[in-house]
Amino acid sequence: MTIISPSILSANFMQLGAELENLKPEKDVWIHLDVMDGHFVPNLTFGPTVIKNIKKHTEHKLDAHFMVNNPEDHALWFSELGLYNFTFHWEAVTHHDSLIQKLKALYPSVGVSLNPSTPTTIIPDYLYKQINLVLVMSVNPGFGGQSFIEGALEKIHELDQIKKRLNLDFEIQVDGGVSDKNAQKIIKAGATNLVAGSFVFNEPNSNYSGQIKKLRG
Ligand code: DX5
Ligand code: ZN
């Protein structure tokens, strides 16, 4: 089943407990946490204090997407929060190999995110063999509610080919502008994990279960 990762960036921050409660019965759902530092991206979001409280209110896996400069500075202290997956941006790091080794010792799952203009060929095969997830940004990172960039489909397909060629099973996660209008073609291209912020949380009756079903088609 395709994993759906609702991004709480579009949730009601004054009622996060209720928002998480609403997602409780869902299967194959990760909670996507967009950590932004106001430097790598213009926006600022939340940090460990908020995540610690989220952890207390959900049994779903926590999927942290670090849109920060120097993600290596956060590897250790966030590891006490019970995150399942730690995704960093390839563009924000110089010593990729070193950071991946460090994260693998601290987290069950390690992800690498590629901005829309960063090609899949930038990651060498030997590192594809070590990571658990590749996040394809299908918008420029920083804000929810933007339009899907169609060029992401080709990258998803390329990653699917890389998985087949190297006989790997890393998650192909797609983040930005995902809705019921494009989910099927994104899945068909090879995505195994869809992040959706506004499509899930902006549903006027808070029928998140219905929105998640629509994404799976
Ligand atoms: C954007 C974030 C996304 C964002 C997606 O930089 O990484 O996770 O919440 O929001 P939608 O689904 O509204 O495009
Ligand atoms: Zn994200």
Side-chain angles (χ1 to χ4, degrees):
M1 179 124 72
T2 307
I3 295 168
I4 305 296
S5 302
S7 163
I8 63 152
L9 189 60
S10 293
N12 181 345
F13 274 62
M14 300 308 287
Q15 293 183 29
L16 265 189
E19 298 282 60
L20 292 167
E21 186 64 29
N22 196 343
L23 292 166
K24 201 174 177 179
E26 301 306 312
K27 298 269 178 293
D28 294 303
V29 156
W30 295 4
I31 305 298
H32 187 80
L33 306 170
D34 290 300
V35 180
M36 305 188 191
D37 67 351
H39 295 281
F40 182 72
V41 288
N43 205 356
L44 287 158
T45 53
F46 46 80
T49 309
V50 171
I51 295 176
K52 197 184 273 180
N53 282 289
I54 289 172
K55 179 71 184 170
K56 288 184 201 152
H57 286 86
T58 184
E59 283 171 18
H60 291 307
K61 289 175 176 167
L62 298 185
D63 168 31
H65 174 194
F66 285 83
M67 282 159 276
V68 302
N69 285 340
N70 308 318
E72 58 275 17
D73 293 349
H74 304 302
L76 190 58
W77 71 307
F78 275 77
S79 71
E80 292 161 12
L81 305 173
L83 297 178
Y84 174 71
N85 177 66
F86 185 117
T87 292
F88 68 88
H89 267 263
W90 185 269
E91 305 84 2
V93 172
T94 304
H95 301 290
H96 305 95
D97 184 298
S98 155
L99 179 56
I100 288 169
Q101 303 321 321
K102 193 170 170 182
L103 292 173
K104 276 164 65 98
L106 296 170
Y107 298 90
S109 170
V110 176
V112 171
S113 180
L114 301 174
N115 275 337
S117 61
T118 306
T120 57
T121 49
I122 207 158
I123 304 178
D125 284 353
Y126 91 98
L127 283 186
Y128 274 117
K129 291 179 186 166
Q130 297 181 46
I131 57 184
N132 306 95
L133 178 149
V134 179
L135 186 164
V136 176
M137 283 307 305
S138 42
V139 297
N140 286 295
F143 300 93
Q146 305 181 74
S147 301
F148 184 83
I149 296 171
E150 292 293 322
L153 289 169
E154 181 56 31
K155 279 166 76 174
I156 298 162
H157 177 67
E158 285 166 21
L159 289 167
D160 191 49
Q161 295 299 112
I162 290 166
K163 277 172 72 165
K164 288 183 176 128
R165 178 168 56 79
L166 301 175
N167 196 23
L168 298 174
D169 71 347
F170 57 81
E171 298 283 341
I172 302 178
Q173 186 178 56
V174 180
D175 186 3
V178 174
S179 73
D180 58 350
K181 305 265 182 307
N182 53 25
Q184 294 322 301
K185 63 181 175 185
I186 295 170
I187 293 169
K188 200 163 165 229
T192 58
N193 184 319
L194 306 183
V195 177
S198 47
F199 182 73
V200 171
F201 289 106
N202 291 359
E203 205 286 325
N205 301 311
S206 299
N207 179 9
Y208 304 156
S209 175
Q211 297 300 90
I212 288 168
K213 274 198 194 82
K214 281 189 209 164
L215 290 174
R216 291 198 174 114

